[in-house]
Amino acid sequence: YKKSKLSTSFIDIPVEIHFHTRPNDKGRSFLIAPGFRGGVSVGDFWKLKFAEDVQGVNKAKIYGIANLSDFHYGISLRLVYYKFGVYGYYSLSKLFDDGKGPAVTPISFGITLSPL
């Protein structure tokens, strides 16, 4: 195959502790929110793109991947100033069941924009 992608979807419940700094003269403050997240799997798929056509097919999408963990949990951190922020998540559980796949530890990070 030429390309391989694995996608998972989880419904998470976050638990965070919020620490706010004192607002400045414009009423803006800084938020630090360390926390914990746990979730349950609601879907997954594996997308493959083959290097050569096999009977006219060059792509495949497989649902319900075996040996993926049904639950995950990990630590999170959000840093927010005014309406702009960054977040990060590090999973303390592995993506695959023990001994049934590669040792992959999910992480994610990104930026946020809040309307409030």
Side-chain angles (χ1 to χ4, degrees):
Y1 55 89
K2 184 164 74 172
K3 202 181 271 189
S4 175
K5 295 180 184 180
L6 177 66
S7 177
T8 59
S9 298
F10 288 86
I11 293 181
D12 290 340
I13 296 177
V15 177
E16 294 180 336
I17 299 172
H18 290 195
F19 297 101
H20 291 271
T21 61
R22 292 187 181 180
N24 62 13
D25 56 341
K26 294 183 180 179
R28 299 175 181 171
S29 64
F30 190 73
L31 165 73
I32 300 172
F36 179 84
R37 231 167 60 185
V40 61
S41 174
V42 293
D44 57 68
F45 65 87
W46 183 19
K47 193 191 282 189
L48 295 166
K49 188 171 184 180
F50 303 107
E52 297 177 11
D53 287 1
V54 179
Q55 297 177 353
V57 177
N58 65 350
K59 294 180 187 178
K61 201 173 204 182
I62 304 164
Y63 294 91
I65 308 303
N67 302 326
L68 286 177
S69 296
D70 292 330
F71 303 99
H72 76 159
Y73 55 91
I75 55 175
S76 63
L77 178 65
R78 286 192 309 139
L79 304 172
V80 180
Y81 177 73
Y82 184 48
K83 295 182 180 185
F84 308 97
V86 294
Y87 70 89
Y89 169 75
Y90 179 79
S91 180
L92 298 174
S93 60
K94 301 295 181 196
L95 183 61
F96 291 93
D97 293 332
D98 289 337
K100 296 185 179 178
V104 177
T105 303
I107 62 169
S108 62
F109 55 92
I111 57 173
T112 62
L113 178 62
S114 175
L116 302 176

PDB file of all heavy atoms in Angstrom, residues 82-111:
ATOM      1  N   TYR A  82      -7.809  35.886  27.377  1.00  0.00           N
ATOM      2  CA  TYR A  82      -8.933  36.569  26.748  1.00  0.00           C
ATOM      3  C   TYR A  82      -9.743  35.550  25.964  1.00  0.00           C
ATOM      4  O   TYR A  82     -10.347  34.671  26.557  1.00  0.00           O
ATOM      5  CB  TYR A  82      -8.425  37.741  25.912  1.00  0.00           C
ATOM      6  CG  TYR A  82      -9.519  38.586  25.281  1.00  0.00           C
ATOM      7  CD1 TYR A  82     -10.596  39.026  26.020  1.00  0.00           C
ATOM      8  CD2 TYR A  82      -9.444  38.948  23.953  1.00  0.00           C
ATOM      9  CE1 TYR A  82     -11.593  39.800  25.445  1.00  0.00           C
ATOM     10  CE2 TYR A  82     -10.431  39.728  23.367  1.00  0.00           C
ATOM     11  CZ  TYR A  82     -11.505  40.145  24.115  1.00  0.00           C
ATOM     12  OH  TYR A  82     -12.486  40.900  23.539  1.00  0.00           O
ATOM     13  N   LYS A  83      -9.774  35.584  24.645  1.00  0.00           N
ATOM     14  CA  LYS A  83     -10.544  34.643  23.840  1.00  0.00           C
ATOM     15  C   LYS A  83      -9.678  33.588  23.147  1.00  0.00           C
ATOM     16  O   LYS A  83     -10.191  32.711  22.474  1.00  0.00           O
ATOM     17  CB  LYS A  83     -11.322  35.396  22.756  1.00  0.00           C
ATOM     18  CG  LYS A  83     -12.372  36.329  23.283  1.00  0.00           C
ATOM     19  CD  LYS A  83     -13.114  36.983  22.141  1.00  0.00           C
ATOM     20  CE  LYS A  83     -14.175  37.919  22.660  1.00  0.00           C
ATOM     21  NZ  LYS A  83     -14.978  38.479  21.575  1.00  0.00           N
ATOM     22  N   PHE A  84      -8.388  33.672  23.315  1.00  0.00           N
ATOM     23  CA  PHE A  84      -7.467  32.808  22.567  1.00  0.00           C
ATOM     24  C   PHE A  84      -6.765  31.836  23.506  1.00  0.00           C
ATOM     25  O   PHE A  84      -6.383  32.214  24.616  1.00  0.00           O
ATOM     26  CB  PHE A  84      -6.439  33.658  21.822  1.00  0.00           C
ATOM     27  CG  PHE A  84      -7.060  34.728  20.981  1.00  0.00           C
ATOM     28  CD1 PHE A  84      -7.170  36.022  21.441  1.00  0.00           C
ATOM     29  CD2 PHE A  84      -7.578  34.410  19.741  1.00  0.00           C
ATOM     30  CE1 PHE A  84      -7.765  37.004  20.668  1.00  0.00           C
ATOM     31  CE2 PHE A  84      -8.177  35.379  18.954  1.00  0.00           C
ATOM     32  CZ  PHE A  84      -8.273  36.680  19.422  1.00  0.00           C
ATOM     33  N   GLY A  85      -6.581  30.608  23.054  1.00  0.00           N
ATOM     34  CA  GLY A  85      -5.939  29.634  23.917  1.00  0.00           C
ATOM     35  C   GLY A  85      -5.274  28.513  23.150  1.00  0.00           C
ATOM     36  O   GLY A  85      -5.406  28.377  21.932  1.00  0.00           O
ATOM     37  N   VAL A  86      -4.549  27.708  23.903  1.00  0.00           N
ATOM     38  CA  VAL A  86      -3.926  26.493  23.388  1.00  0.00           C
ATOM     39  C   VAL A  86      -4.299  25.361  24.337  1.00  0.00           C
ATOM     40  O   VAL A  86      -4.583  25.578  25.515  1.00  0.00           O
ATOM     41  CB  VAL A  86      -2.391  26.617  23.265  1.00  0.00           C
ATOM     42  CG1 VAL A  86      -2.007  27.642  22.228  1.00  0.00           C
ATOM     43  CG2 VAL A  86      -1.756  26.941  24.597  1.00  0.00           C
ATOM     44  N   TYR A  87      -4.333  24.136  23.802  1.00  0.00           N
ATOM     45  CA  TYR A  87      -4.633  22.978  24.631  1.00  0.00           C
ATOM     46  C   TYR A  87      -3.724  21.828  24.251  1.00  0.00           C
ATOM     47  O   TYR A  87      -3.167  21.788  23.158  1.00  0.00           O
ATOM     48  CB  TYR A  87      -6.106  22.555  24.497  1.00  0.00           C
ATOM     49  CG  TYR A  87      -6.441  21.958  23.150  1.00  0.00           C
ATOM     50  CD1 TYR A  87      -6.314  20.592  22.918  1.00  0.00           C
ATOM     51  CD2 TYR A  87      -6.885  22.758  22.102  1.00  0.00           C
ATOM     52  CE1 TYR A  87      -6.597  20.051  21.678  1.00  0.00           C
ATOM     53  CE2 TYR A  87      -7.183  22.225  20.867  1.00  0.00           C
ATOM     54  CZ  TYR A  87      -7.037  20.868  20.667  1.00  0.00           C
ATOM     55  OH  TYR A  87      -7.323  20.337  19.431  1.00  0.00           O
ATOM     56  N   GLY A  88      -3.600  20.894  25.170  1.00  0.00           N
ATOM     57  CA  GLY A  88      -2.831  19.691  24.916  1.00  0.00           C
ATOM     58  C   GLY A  88      -3.423  18.525  25.680  1.00  0.00           C
ATOM     59  O   GLY A  88      -4.066  18.705  26.719  1.00  0.00           O
ATOM     60  N   TYR A  89      -3.252  17.326  25.138  1.00  0.00           N
ATOM     61  CA  TYR A  89      -3.755  16.099  25.768  1.00  0.00           C
ATOM     62  C   TYR A  89      -2.720  15.005  25.560  1.00  0.00           C
ATOM     63  O   TYR A  89      -2.199  14.835  24.457  1.00  0.00           O
ATOM     64  CB  TYR A  89      -5.091  15.688  25.150  1.00  0.00           C
ATOM     65  CG  TYR A  89      -5.563  14.310  25.554  1.00  0.00           C
ATOM     66  CD1 TYR A  89      -6.087  14.078  26.817  1.00  0.00           C
ATOM     67  CD2 TYR A  89      -5.453  13.237  24.682  1.00  0.00           C
ATOM     68  CE1 TYR A  89      -6.504  12.819  27.197  1.00  0.00           C
ATOM     69  CE2 TYR A  89      -5.866  11.966  25.054  1.00  0.00           C
ATOM     70  CZ  TYR A  89      -6.394  11.764  26.309  1.00  0.00           C
ATOM     71  OH  TYR A  89      -6.794  10.507  26.673  1.00  0.00           O
ATOM     72  N   TYR A  90      -2.426  14.272  26.623  1.00  0.00           N
ATOM     73  CA  TYR A  90      -1.512  13.131  26.555  1.00  0.00           C
ATOM     74  C   TYR A  90      -2.222  11.924  27.150  1.00  0.00           C
ATOM     75  O   TYR A  90      -2.624  11.935  28.322  1.00  0.00           O
ATOM     76  CB  TYR A  90      -0.230  13.424  27.335  1.00  0.00           C
ATOM     77  CG  TYR A  90       0.755  12.281  27.319  1.00  0.00           C
ATOM     78  CD1 TYR A  90       1.562  12.068  26.210  1.00  0.00           C
ATOM     79  CD2 TYR A  90       0.854  11.402  28.394  1.00  0.00           C
ATOM     80  CE1 TYR A  90       2.454  11.013  26.180  1.00  0.00           C
ATOM     81  CE2 TYR A  90       1.740  10.351  28.373  1.00  0.00           C
ATOM     82  CZ  TYR A  90       2.534  10.161  27.258  1.00  0.00           C
ATOM     83  OH  TYR A  90       3.413   9.104  27.226  1.00  0.00           O
ATOM     84  N   SER A  91      -2.394  10.892  26.349  1.00  0.00           N
ATOM     85  CA  SER A  91      -3.104   9.695  26.795  1.00  0.00           C
ATOM     86  C   SER A  91      -2.212   8.850  27.703  1.00  0.00           C
ATOM     87  O   SER A  91      -1.046   8.609  27.394  1.00  0.00           O
ATOM     88  CB  SER A  91      -3.548   8.869  25.589  1.00  0.00           C
ATOM     89  OG  SER A  91      -4.232   7.712  26.017  1.00  0.00           O
ATOM     90  N   LEU A  92      -2.775   8.393  28.803  1.00  0.00           N
ATOM     91  CA  LEU A  92      -2.069   7.489  29.701  1.00  0.00           C
ATOM     92  C   LEU A  92      -2.377   6.031  29.361  1.00  0.00           C
ATOM     93  O   LEU A  92      -1.783   5.124  29.924  1.00  0.00           O
ATOM     94  CB  LEU A  92      -2.439   7.780  31.158  1.00  0.00           C
ATOM     95  CG  LEU A  92      -2.069   9.180  31.647  1.00  0.00           C
ATOM     96  CD1 LEU A  92      -2.598   9.409  33.047  1.00  0.00           C
ATOM     97  CD2 LEU A  92      -0.576   9.399  31.585  1.00  0.00           C
ATOM     98  N   SER A  93      -3.308   5.820  28.439  1.00  0.00           N
ATOM     99  CA  SER A  93      -3.640   4.472  27.968  1.00  0.00           C
ATOM    100  C   SER A  93      -3.156   4.324  26.528  1.00  0.00           C
ATOM    101  O   SER A  93      -3.008   5.296  25.804  1.00  0.00           O
ATOM    102  CB  SER A  93      -5.140   4.227  28.058  1.00  0.00           C
ATOM    103  OG  SER A  93      -5.841   5.159  27.270  1.00  0.00           O
ATOM    104  N   LYS A  94      -2.936   3.103  26.117  1.00  0.00           N
ATOM    105  CA  LYS A  94      -2.455   2.833  24.757  1.00  0.00           C
ATOM    106  C   LYS A  94      -3.633   2.749  23.792  1.00  0.00           C
ATOM    107  O   LYS A  94      -4.763   2.472  24.192  1.00  0.00           O
ATOM    108  CB  LYS A  94      -1.668   1.525  24.716  1.00  0.00           C
ATOM    109  CG  LYS A  94      -0.455   1.505  25.630  1.00  0.00           C
ATOM    110  CD  LYS A  94       0.572   2.501  25.186  1.00  0.00           C
ATOM    111  CE  LYS A  94       1.787   2.435  26.107  1.00  0.00           C
ATOM    112  NZ  LYS A  94       2.623   3.578  25.985  1.00  0.00           N
ATOM    113  N   LEU A  95      -3.381   2.980  22.516  1.00  0.00           N
ATOM    114  CA  LEU A  95      -4.421   2.929  21.497  1.00  0.00           C
ATOM    115  C   LEU A  95      -4.888   1.499  21.237  1.00  0.00           C
ATOM    116  O   LEU A  95      -6.069   1.257  21.023  1.00  0.00           O
ATOM    117  CB  LEU A  95      -3.905   3.558  20.198  1.00  0.00           C
ATOM    118  CG  LEU A  95      -4.894   3.658  19.053  1.00  0.00           C
ATOM    119  CD1 LEU A  95      -6.087   4.520  19.438  1.00  0.00           C
ATOM    120  CD2 LEU A  95      -4.213   4.229  17.822  1.00  0.00           C
ATOM    121  N   PHE A  96      -3.969   0.529  21.271  1.00  0.00           N
ATOM    122  CA  PHE A  96      -4.300  -0.876  21.035  1.00  0.00           C
ATOM    123  C   PHE A  96      -4.295  -1.641  22.353  1.00  0.00           C
ATOM    124  O   PHE A  96      -3.608  -1.263  23.297  1.00  0.00           O
ATOM    125  CB  PHE A  96      -3.290  -1.514  20.073  1.00  0.00           C
ATOM    126  CG  PHE A  96      -3.387  -1.007  18.670  1.00  0.00           C
ATOM    127  CD1 PHE A  96      -2.602   0.054  18.250  1.00  0.00           C
ATOM    128  CD2 PHE A  96      -4.263  -1.574  17.763  1.00  0.00           C
ATOM    129  CE1 PHE A  96      -2.683   0.534  16.958  1.00  0.00           C
ATOM    130  CE2 PHE A  96      -4.361  -1.101  16.470  1.00  0.00           C
ATOM    131  CZ  PHE A  96      -3.569  -0.049  16.064  1.00  0.00           C
ATOM    132  N   ASP A  97      -5.064  -2.737  22.414  1.00  0.00           N
ATOM    133  CA  ASP A  97      -5.047  -3.608  23.578  1.00  0.00           C
ATOM    134  C   ASP A  97      -3.631  -4.152  23.780  1.00  0.00           C
ATOM    135  O   ASP A  97      -2.865  -4.285  22.829  1.00  0.00           O
ATOM    136  CB  ASP A  97      -6.021  -4.772  23.383  1.00  0.00           C
ATOM    137  CG  ASP A  97      -7.479  -4.320  23.353  1.00  0.00           C
ATOM    138  OD1 ASP A  97      -7.786  -3.289  23.978  1.00  0.00           O
ATOM    139  OD2 ASP A  97      -8.290  -5.002  22.710  1.00  0.00           O
ATOM    140  N   ASP A  98      -3.299  -4.485  25.022  1.00  0.00           N
ATOM    141  CA  ASP A  98      -1.950  -4.976  25.354  1.00  0.00           C
ATOM    142  C   ASP A  98      -1.583  -6.199  24.535  1.00  0.00           C
ATOM    143  O   ASP A  98      -2.329  -7.177  24.483  1.00  0.00           O
ATOM    144  CB  ASP A  98      -1.845  -5.305  26.843  1.00  0.00           C
ATOM    145  CG  ASP A  98      -1.844  -4.068  27.715  1.00  0.00           C
ATOM    146  OD1 ASP A  98      -1.487  -2.983  27.190  1.00  0.00           O
ATOM    147  OD2 ASP A  98      -2.185  -4.174  28.900  1.00  0.00           O
ATOM    148  N   GLY A  99      -0.428  -6.137  23.873  1.00  0.00           N
ATOM    149  CA  GLY A  99       0.093  -7.247  23.101  1.00  0.00           C
ATOM    150  C   GLY A  99      -0.627  -7.528  21.789  1.00  0.00           C
ATOM    151  O   GLY A  99      -0.370  -8.528  21.148  1.00  0.00           O
ATOM    152  N   LYS A 100      -1.526  -6.640  21.372  1.00  0.00           N
ATOM    153  CA  LYS A 100      -2.306  -6.893  20.152  1.00  0.00           C
ATOM    154  C   LYS A 100      -2.136  -5.796  19.103  1.00  0.00           C
ATOM    155  O   LYS A 100      -2.997  -5.591  18.267  1.00  0.00           O
ATOM    156  CB  LYS A 100      -3.782  -7.048  20.504  1.00  0.00           C
ATOM    157  CG  LYS A 100      -4.044  -8.242  21.383  1.00  0.00           C
ATOM    158  CD  LYS A 100      -5.497  -8.457  21.620  1.00  0.00           C
ATOM    159  CE  LYS A 100      -5.725  -9.681  22.476  1.00  0.00           C
ATOM    160  NZ  LYS A 100      -7.128  -9.884  22.758  1.00  0.00           N
ATOM    161  N   GLY A 101      -1.044  -5.086  19.176  1.00  0.00           N
ATOM    162  CA  GLY A 101      -0.768  -4.037  18.205  1.00  0.00           C
ATOM    163  C   GLY A 101       0.445  -3.249  18.627  1.00  0.00           C
ATOM    164  O   GLY A 101       1.039  -3.498  19.682  1.00  0.00           O
ATOM    165  N   PRO A 102       0.829  -2.258  17.819  1.00  0.00           N
ATOM    166  CA  PRO A 102       1.996  -1.448  18.178  1.00  0.00           C
ATOM    167  C   PRO A 102       1.715  -0.593  19.411  1.00  0.00           C
ATOM    168  O   PRO A 102       0.570  -0.274  19.723  1.00  0.00           O
ATOM    169  CB  PRO A 102       2.219  -0.582  16.943  1.00  0.00           C
ATOM    170  CG  PRO A 102       0.929  -0.568  16.224  1.00  0.00           C
ATOM    171  CD  PRO A 102       0.243  -1.855  16.544  1.00  0.00           C
ATOM    172  N   ALA A 103       2.762  -0.233  20.120  1.00  0.00           N
ATOM    173  CA  ALA A 103       2.641   0.593  21.322  1.00  0.00           C
ATOM    174  C   ALA A 103       2.507   2.056  20.911  1.00  0.00           C
ATOM    175  O   ALA A 103       3.488   2.790  20.844  1.00  0.00           O
ATOM    176  CB  ALA A 103       3.837   0.389  22.224  1.00  0.00           C
ATOM    177  N   VAL A 104       1.291   2.487  20.632  1.00  0.00           N
ATOM    178  CA  VAL A 104       1.011   3.852  20.193  1.00  0.00           C
ATOM    179  C   VAL A 104       0.349   4.602  21.344  1.00  0.00           C
ATOM    180  O   VAL A 104      -0.645   4.139  21.901  1.00  0.00           O
ATOM    181  CB  VAL A 104       0.075   3.864  18.958  1.00  0.00           C
ATOM    182  CG1 VAL A 104      -0.281   5.274  18.558  1.00  0.00           C
ATOM    183  CG2 VAL A 104       0.709   3.114  17.811  1.00  0.00           C
ATOM    184  N   THR A 105       0.902   5.761  21.706  1.00  0.00           N
ATOM    185  CA  THR A 105       0.328   6.611  22.744  1.00  0.00           C
ATOM    186  C   THR A 105      -0.205   7.878  22.086  1.00  0.00           C
ATOM    187  O   THR A 105       0.571   8.697  21.593  1.00  0.00           O
ATOM    188  CB  THR A 105       1.384   6.969  23.799  1.00  0.00           C
ATOM    189  OG1 THR A 105       1.912   5.763  24.350  1.00  0.00           O
ATOM    190  CG2 THR A 105       0.786   7.813  24.897  1.00  0.00           C
ATOM    191  N   PRO A 106      -1.529   8.071  22.061  1.00  0.00           N
ATOM    192  CA  PRO A 106      -2.100   9.253  21.415  1.00  0.00           C
ATOM    193  C   PRO A 106      -1.786  10.548  22.162  1.00  0.00           C
ATOM    194  O   PRO A 106      -1.820  10.594  23.395  1.00  0.00           O
ATOM    195  CB  PRO A 106      -3.600   8.989  21.431  1.00  0.00           C
ATOM    196  CG  PRO A 106      -3.740   7.515  21.614  1.00  0.00           C
ATOM    197  CD  PRO A 106      -2.565   7.114  22.438  1.00  0.00           C
ATOM    198  N   ILE A 107      -1.478  11.595  21.412  1.00  0.00           N
ATOM    199  CA  ILE A 107      -1.349  12.950  21.941  1.00  0.00           C
ATOM    200  C   ILE A 107      -2.086  13.877  20.981  1.00  0.00           C
ATOM    201  O   ILE A 107      -2.260  13.573  19.805  1.00  0.00           O
ATOM    202  CB  ILE A 107       0.116  13.406  22.097  1.00  0.00           C
ATOM    203  CG1 ILE A 107       0.833  13.432  20.753  1.00  0.00           C
ATOM    204  CG2 ILE A 107       0.865  12.528  23.070  1.00  0.00           C
ATOM    205  CD1 ILE A 107       2.182  14.120  20.803  1.00  0.00           C
ATOM    206  N   SER A 108      -2.542  15.002  21.495  1.00  0.00           N
ATOM    207  CA  SER A 108      -3.158  16.004  20.621  1.00  0.00           C
ATOM    208  C   SER A 108      -2.885  17.385  21.205  1.00  0.00           C
ATOM    209  O   SER A 108      -2.692  17.548  22.409  1.00  0.00           O
ATOM    210  CB  SER A 108      -4.662  15.762  20.476  1.00  0.00           C
ATOM    211  OG  SER A 108      -5.317  15.879  21.704  1.00  0.00           O
ATOM    212  N   PHE A 109      -2.873  18.370  20.340  1.00  0.00           N
ATOM    213  CA  PHE A 109      -2.697  19.754  20.758  1.00  0.00           C
ATOM    214  C   PHE A 109      -3.324  20.644  19.699  1.00  0.00           C
ATOM    215  O   PHE A 109      -3.551  20.218  18.567  1.00  0.00           O
ATOM    216  CB  PHE A 109      -1.218  20.114  20.982  1.00  0.00           C
ATOM    217  CG  PHE A 109      -0.351  19.828  19.806  1.00  0.00           C
ATOM    218  CD1 PHE A 109      -0.105  20.796  18.841  1.00  0.00           C
ATOM    219  CD2 PHE A 109       0.236  18.577  19.631  1.00  0.00           C
ATOM    220  CE1 PHE A 109       0.688  20.528  17.759  1.00  0.00           C
ATOM    221  CE2 PHE A 109       1.035  18.296  18.551  1.00  0.00           C
ATOM    222  CZ  PHE A 109       1.261  19.278  17.603  1.00  0.00           C
ATOM    223  N   GLY A 110      -3.643  21.860  20.082  1.00  0.00           N
ATOM    224  CA  GLY A 110      -4.264  22.761  19.121  1.00  0.00           C
ATOM    225  C   GLY A 110      -4.503  24.132  19.714  1.00  0.00           C
ATOM    226  O   GLY A 110      -4.044  24.453  20.814  1.00  0.00           O
ATOM    227  N   ILE A 111      -5.243  24.936  18.980  1.00  0.00           N
ATOM    228  CA  ILE A 111      -5.572  26.287  19.408  1.00  0.00           C
ATOM    229  C   ILE A 111      -7.084  26.401  19.552  1.00  0.00           C
ATOM    230  O   ILE A 111      -7.839  25.655  18.935  1.00  0.00           O
ATOM    231  CB  ILE A 111      -5.032  27.358  18.420  1.00  0.00           C
ATOM    232  CG1 ILE A 111      -5.581  27.113  17.013  1.00  0.00           C
ATOM    233  CG2 ILE A 111      -3.523  27.336  18.414  1.00  0.00           C
ATOM    234  CD1 ILE A 111      -5.223  28.216  16.050  1.00  0.00           C
TER     235      ILE A 111
END
